[in-house]
Amino acid sequence: MAIYEQIGKGYDLTRRADPYITTRLAQNLDIKPNGLYLDVACGTGNYTVALAEFGGIWQGIDQSSLMIDAAKNKSQAIDWLVASVEDLPYDNQSFSGVLCTLAIHHFSELIPAFQEIYRVLANGKFLLFTSTPEQMQKYWLVEYFPEAISKASQQMPSLTLVKAALQKVGFNSITVETYSIRPDLQDLFLYSGKYHPELYLDANIRSGISTFSQLASVDEITTGCQKLAADINTGFIHQVIQQYEHEQGDYLFIIVDKNK
């Protein structure tokens, strides 16, 4: 998570909990009023704080002290800790549910992380919000930033790999719900500009997205943005977006139930 020490300073300028995604997270996690919930790799706590409005007692951990410091400023009701997902500082079966949003690609290894999550989870849900390499390679961003998207997709574990790792540690009930970007999306993560391509021309927005801030070269960003700006001006961007339309979703909710 060291990269987020670098991008964390301006992270909340462009990143916030999206209401629709928050609602789907809450419903899939099946939040109980008195349940205890853990958000692993919580970042600055945007979704942790938003989900706490649905009930439950919440704790958030992240490896980045910069992110946790920002989270502490948002809520005193949530217990925030700097900690690693591979070494969770909690007792066995402590939590009613565990959440991880847009961070699984930063786990050094899946199985040790999932083992720890399985250990601290009582009978309840483990919920992942992520994307797969197959989905990312269908983003129209490939037309403008091919090397960066290729590098980003290589970081992402495939759905097959995620399922295999979950099953390896003991999770058996795994369901998948696709998520396609909505035009009113408020959290400006990687493919948030699917219907608003002009967003990628904003350096502040790019700085909050690790693919651009860490993986894309200056030359690729310069060339890609020039080509994108030209296509926006001519309207050709609409044809590019249409060429990349598909039915497999842009991201996934992976719902894992320890009850079953």
Side-chain angles (χ1 to χ4, degrees), residues 58-106:
W58 283 82
Q59 301 193 16
I61 66 133
D62 199 280
Q63 285 189 350
S64 167
S65 58
L66 190 67
M67 292 288 200
I68 290 296
D69 286 344
K72 287 178 178 177
N73 290 328
K74 295 177 182 176
S75 175
Q76 302 297 316
I78 296 168
D79 186 15
W80 307 101
L81 284 176
V82 178
S84 166
V85 67
E86 291 92 0
D87 187 22
L88 295 174
Y90 305 109
D91 292 335
N92 295 349
Q93 300 186 345
S94 295
F95 294 96
S96 309
V98 179
L99 173 74
C100 180
T101 61
L102 299 174
I104 189 177
H105 53 293
H106 295 304

Side-chain angles (χ1 to χ4, degrees), residues 2-10 66 213-214:
I3 65 166
Y4 283 112
E5 294 288 356
Q6 299 175 46
I7 72 171
K9 293 178 181 178
L66 190 67
S213 62
Q214 298 297 316

Side-chain angles (χ1 to χ4, degrees), residues 98 100 104 107 109-119 121 125-128 130 157-176 253-258:
V98 179
C100 180
I104 189 177
F107 292 179
E109 292 183 70
L110 291 182
I111 289 177
F114 289 167
Q115 281 176 330
E116 275 293 88
I117 290 166
Y118 187 89
R119 180 183 66 79
L121 181 62
K125 305 281 183 66
F126 171 35
L127 178 59
L128 285 160
T130 187
S158 68
L159 179 58
T160 300
L161 193 62
V162 172
K163 284 183 172 181
L166 288 166
Q167 290 169 339
K168 178 80 172 177
V169 305
F171 288 115
N172 294 312
S173 174
I174 304 167
T175 56
V176 176
F253 295 99
I254 303 174
I255 308 113
V256 188
D257 194 340
K258 197 177 176 182

